[in-house]
mmCIF file with all atom_site columns, all heavy atoms in Angstrom:
data_model
loop_
_atom_site.group_PDB
_atom_site.id
_atom_site.type_symbol
_atom_site.label_atom_id
_atom_site.label_alt_id
_atom_site.label_comp_id
_atom_site.label_asym_id
_atom_site.label_entity_id
_atom_site.label_seq_id
_atom_site.pdbx_PDB_ins_code
_atom_site.Cartn_x
_atom_site.Cartn_y
_atom_site.Cartn_z
_atom_site.occupancy
_atom_site.B_iso_or_equiv
_atom_site.pdbx_formal_charge
_atom_site.auth_seq_id
_atom_site.auth_comp_id
_atom_site.auth_asym_id
_atom_site.auth_atom_id
_atom_site.pdbx_PDB_model_num
ATOM 1  N N   . VAL A 1 62 ? -13.665 169.603 -20.289 1.00 96.00 ? 62 VAL A N   1
ATOM 2  C CA  . VAL A 1 62 ? -14.436 168.730 -19.402 1.00 96.00 ? 62 VAL A CA  1
ATOM 3  C C   . VAL A 1 62 ? -15.841 168.641 -19.973 1.00 96.00 ? 62 VAL A C   1
ATOM 4  O O   . VAL A 1 62 ? -16.504 169.663 -20.160 1.00 96.00 ? 62 VAL A O   1
ATOM 5  C CB  . VAL A 1 62 ? -14.446 169.260 -17.955 1.00 96.00 ? 62 VAL A CB  1
ATOM 6  C CG1 . VAL A 1 62 ? -15.250 168.336 -17.057 1.00 96.00 ? 62 VAL A CG1 1
ATOM 7  C CG2 . VAL A 1 62 ? -13.021 169.425 -17.431 1.00 96.00 ? 62 VAL A CG2 1
ATOM 8  N N   . ASP A 1 63 ? -16.262 167.424 -20.257 1.00 95.00 ? 63 ASP A N   1
ATOM 9  C CA  . ASP A 1 63 ? -17.578 167.193 -20.856 1.00 95.00 ? 63 ASP A CA  1
ATOM 10 C C   . ASP A 1 63 ? -18.566 166.725 -19.793 1.00 95.00 ? 63 ASP A C   1
ATOM 11 O O   . ASP A 1 63 ? -18.211 165.935 -18.919 1.00 95.00 ? 63 ASP A O   1
ATOM 12 C CB  . ASP A 1 63 ? -17.490 166.131 -21.952 1.00 95.00 ? 63 ASP A CB  1
ATOM 13 C CG  . ASP A 1 63 ? -16.611 166.558 -23.120 1.00 95.00 ? 63 ASP A CG  1
ATOM 14 O OD1 . ASP A 1 63 ? -16.309 167.752 -23.238 1.00 95.00 ? 63 ASP A OD1 1
ATOM 15 O OD2 . ASP A 1 63 ? -16.251 165.679 -23.916 1.00 95.00 ? 63 ASP A OD2 1
ATOM 16 N N   . PHE A 1 64 ? -19.783 167.220 -19.910 1.00 96.00 ? 64 PHE A N   1
ATOM 17 C CA  . PHE A 1 64 ? -20.848 166.899 -18.967 1.00 96.00 ? 64 PHE A CA  1
ATOM 18 C C   . PHE A 1 64 ? -22.068 166.381 -19.706 1.00 96.00 ? 64 PHE A C   1
ATOM 19 O O   . PHE A 1 64 ? -22.292 166.724 -20.865 1.00 96.00 ? 64 PHE A O   1
ATOM 20 C CB  . PHE A 1 64 ? -21.305 168.160 -18.215 1.00 96.00 ? 64 PHE A CB  1
ATOM 21 C CG  . PHE A 1 64 ? -20.281 168.760 -17.312 1.00 96.00 ? 64 PHE A CG  1
ATOM 22 C CD1 . PHE A 1 64 ? -19.351 169.671 -17.791 1.00 96.00 ? 64 PHE A CD1 1
ATOM 23 C CD2 . PHE A 1 64 ? -20.262 168.441 -15.965 1.00 96.00 ? 64 PHE A CD2 1
ATOM 24 C CE1 . PHE A 1 64 ? -18.411 170.245 -16.956 1.00 96.00 ? 64 PHE A CE1 1
ATOM 25 C CE2 . PHE A 1 64 ? -19.327 169.007 -15.119 1.00 96.00 ? 64 PHE A CE2 1
ATOM 26 C CZ  . PHE A 1 64 ? -18.396 169.912 -15.610 1.00 96.00 ? 64 PHE A CZ  1
ATOM 27 N N   . PHE A 1 65 ? -22.862 165.611 -19.011 1.00 93.00 ? 65 PHE A N   1
ATOM 28 C CA  . PHE A 1 65 ? -24.236 165.341 -19.391 1.00 93.00 ? 65 PHE A CA  1
ATOM 29 C C   . PHE A 1 65 ? -25.089 166.173 -18.445 1.00 93.00 ? 65 PHE A C   1
ATOM 30 O O   . PHE A 1 65 ? -24.837 166.193 -17.243 1.00 93.00 ? 65 PHE A O   1
ATOM 31 C CB  . PHE A 1 65 ? -24.610 163.867 -19.226 1.00 93.00 ? 65 PHE A CB  1
ATOM 32 C CG  . PHE A 1 65 ? -23.896 162.942 -20.176 1.00 93.00 ? 65 PHE A CG  1
ATOM 33 C CD1 . PHE A 1 65 ? -23.040 161.967 -19.699 1.00 93.00 ? 65 PHE A CD1 1
ATOM 34 C CD2 . PHE A 1 65 ? -24.100 163.039 -21.541 1.00 93.00 ? 65 PHE A CD2 1
ATOM 35 C CE1 . PHE A 1 65 ? -22.395 161.109 -20.565 1.00 93.00 ? 65 PHE A CE1 1
ATOM 36 C CE2 . PHE A 1 65 ? -23.449 162.184 -22.421 1.00 93.00 ? 65 PHE A CE2 1
ATOM 37 C CZ  . PHE A 1 65 ? -22.592 161.213 -21.927 1.00 93.00 ? 65 PHE A CZ  1
ATOM 38 N N   . VAL A 1 66 ? -26.079 166.860 -18.977 1.00 94.00 ? 66 VAL A N   1
ATOM 39 C CA  . VAL A 1 66 ? -27.002 167.614 -18.139 1.00 94.00 ? 66 VAL A CA  1
ATOM 40 C C   . VAL A 1 66 ? -28.396 167.086 -18.447 1.00 94.00 ? 66 VAL A C   1
ATOM 41 O O   . VAL A 1 66 ? -29.049 167.516 -19.396 1.00 94.00 ? 66 VAL A O   1
ATOM 42 C CB  . VAL A 1 66 ? -26.913 169.133 -18.392 1.00 94.00 ? 66 VAL A CB  1
ATOM 43 C CG1 . VAL A 1 66 ? -27.871 169.876 -17.461 1.00 94.00 ? 66 VAL A CG1 1
ATOM 44 C CG2 . VAL A 1 66 ? -25.480 169.629 -18.197 1.00 94.00 ? 66 VAL A CG2 1
ATOM 45 N N   . PRO A 1 67 ? -28.861 166.115 -17.646 1.00 91.00 ? 67 PRO A N   1
ATOM 46 C CA  . PRO A 1 67 ? -30.182 165.531 -17.885 1.00 91.00 ? 67 PRO A CA  1
ATOM 47 C C   . PRO A 1 67 ? -31.305 166.522 -17.598 1.00 91.00 ? 67 PRO A C   1
ATOM 48 O O   . PRO A 1 67 ? -31.079 167.609 -17.070 1.00 91.00 ? 67 PRO A O   1
ATOM 49 C CB  . PRO A 1 67 ? -30.239 164.344 -16.939 1.00 91.00 ? 67 PRO A CB  1
ATOM 50 C CG  . PRO A 1 67 ? -29.086 164.465 -16.021 1.00 91.00 ? 67 PRO A CG  1
ATOM 51 C CD  . PRO A 1 67 ? -28.153 165.503 -16.548 1.00 91.00 ? 67 PRO A CD  1
ATOM 52 N N   . ALA A 1 68 ? -32.495 166.138 -17.946 1.00 85.00 ? 68 ALA A N   1
ATOM 53 C CA  . ALA A 1 68 ? -33.660 167.022 -17.808 1.00 85.00 ? 68 ALA A CA  1
ATOM 54 C C   . ALA A 1 68 ? -33.831 167.549 -16.390 1.00 85.00 ? 68 ALA A C   1
ATOM 55 O O   . ALA A 1 68 ? -34.300 168.665 -16.205 1.00 85.00 ? 68 ALA A O   1
ATOM 56 C CB  . ALA A 1 68 ? -34.921 166.294 -18.269 1.00 85.00 ? 68 ALA A CB  1
ATOM 57 N N   . ASP A 1 69 ? -33.442 166.763 -15.368 1.00 83.00 ? 69 ASP A N   1
ATOM 58 C CA  . ASP A 1 69 ? -33.599 167.236 -13.991 1.00 83.00 ? 69 ASP A CA  1
ATOM 59 C C   . ASP A 1 69 ? -32.547 168.280 -13.630 1.00 83.00 ? 69 ASP A C   1
ATOM 60 O O   . ASP A 1 69 ? -32.587 168.861 -12.549 1.00 83.00 ? 69 ASP A O   1
ATOM 61 C CB  . ASP A 1 69 ? -33.589 166.076 -13.001 1.00 83.00 ? 69 ASP A CB  1
ATOM 62 C CG  . ASP A 1 69 ? -32.226 165.406 -12.850 1.00 83.00 ? 69 ASP A CG  1
ATOM 63 O OD1 . ASP A 1 69 ? -31.227 165.877 -13.435 1.00 83.00 ? 69 ASP A OD1 1
ATOM 64 O OD2 . ASP A 1 69 ? -32.160 164.384 -12.141 1.00 83.00 ? 69 ASP A OD2 1
ATOM 65 N N   . GLY A 1 70 ? -31.593 168.523 -14.551 1.00 69.00 ? 70 GLY A N   1
ATOM 66 C CA  . GLY A 1 70 ? -30.617 169.584 -14.340 1.00 69.00 ? 70 GLY A CA  1
ATOM 67 C C   . GLY A 1 70 ? -29.436 169.218 -13.477 1.00 69.00 ? 70 GLY A C   1
ATOM 68 O O   . GLY A 1 70 ? -28.583 170.041 -13.223 1.00 69.00 ? 70 GLY A O   1
ATOM 69 N N   . GLU A 1 71 ? -29.338 167.978 -13.021 1.00 86.00 ? 71 GLU A N   1
ATOM 70 C CA  . GLU A 1 71 ? -28.225 167.550 -12.180 1.00 86.00 ? 71 GLU A CA  1
ATOM 71 C C   . GLU A 1 71 ? -27.058 167.117 -13.065 1.00 86.00 ? 71 GLU A C   1
ATOM 72 O O   . GLU A 1 71 ? -27.076 166.044 -13.658 1.00 86.00 ? 71 GLU A O   1
ATOM 73 C CB  . GLU A 1 71 ? -28.665 166.388 -11.277 1.00 86.00 ? 71 GLU A CB  1
ATOM 74 C CG  . GLU A 1 71 ? -27.673 166.011 -10.212 1.00 86.00 ? 71 GLU A CG  1
ATOM 75 C CD  . GLU A 1 71 ? -27.412 167.123 -9.214  1.00 86.00 ? 71 GLU A CD  1
ATOM 76 O OE1 . GLU A 1 71 ? -28.328 167.905 -8.922  1.00 86.00 ? 71 GLU A OE1 1
ATOM 77 O OE2 . GLU A 1 71 ? -26.271 167.200 -8.729  1.00 86.00 ? 71 GLU A OE2 1
ATOM 78 N N   . PRO A 1 72 ? -26.027 167.965 -13.219 1.00 93.00 ? 72 PRO A N   1
ATOM 79 C CA  . PRO A 1 72 ? -24.947 167.649 -14.146 1.00 93.00 ? 72 PRO A CA  1
ATOM 80 C C   . PRO A 1 72 ? -24.116 166.452 -13.698 1.00 93.00 ? 72 PRO A C   1
ATOM 81 O O   . PRO A 1 72 ? -23.923 166.228 -12.506 1.00 93.00 ? 72 PRO A O   1
ATOM 82 C CB  . PRO A 1 72 ? -24.092 168.909 -14.173 1.00 93.00 ? 72 PRO A CB  1
ATOM 83 C CG  . PRO A 1 72 ? -24.587 169.790 -13.103 1.00 93.00 ? 72 PRO A CG  1
ATOM 84 C CD  . PRO A 1 72 ? -25.851 169.238 -12.562 1.00 93.00 ? 72 PRO A CD  1
ATOM 85 N N   . VAL A 1 73 ? -23.635 165.714 -14.696 1.00 96.00 ? 73 VAL A N   1
ATOM 86 C CA  . VAL A 1 73 ? -22.789 164.546 -14.465 1.00 96.00 ? 73 VAL A CA  1
ATOM 87 C C   . VAL A 1 73 ? -21.542 164.726 -15.327 1.00 96.00 ? 73 VAL A C   1
ATOM 88 O O   . VAL A 1 73 ? -21.649 164.969 -16.533 1.00 96.00 ? 73 VAL A O   1
ATOM 89 C CB  . VAL A 1 73 ? -23.523 163.249 -14.870 1.00 96.00 ? 73 VAL A CB  1
ATOM 90 C CG1 . VAL A 1 73 ? -22.615 162.040 -14.727 1.00 96.00 ? 73 VAL A CG1 1
ATOM 91 C CG2 . VAL A 1 73 ? -24.801 163.070 -14.078 1.00 96.00 ? 73 VAL A CG2 1
ATOM 92 N N   . VAL A 1 74 ? -20.364 164.599 -14.717 1.00 97.00 ? 74 VAL A N   1
ATOM 93 C CA  . VAL A 1 74 ? -19.133 164.668 -15.497 1.00 97.00 ? 74 VAL A CA  1
ATOM 94 C C   . VAL A 1 74 ? -19.058 163.418 -16.355 1.00 97.00 ? 74 VAL A C   1
ATOM 95 O O   . VAL A 1 74 ? -19.143 162.298 -15.853 1.00 97.00 ? 74 VAL A O   1
ATOM 96 C CB  . VAL A 1 74 ? -17.885 164.778 -14.589 1.00 97.00 ? 74 VAL A CB  1
ATOM 97 C CG1 . VAL A 1 74 ? -16.601 164.707 -15.413 1.00 97.00 ? 74 VAL A CG1 1
ATOM 98 C CG2 . VAL A 1 74 ? -17.917 166.059 -13.780 1.00 97.00 ? 74 VAL A CG2 1
#
Side-chain angles (χ1 to χ4, degrees):
V62 180
D63 297 344
F64 294 87
F65 293 117
V66 182
D69 70 5
E71 189 63 33
V73 176
V74 174

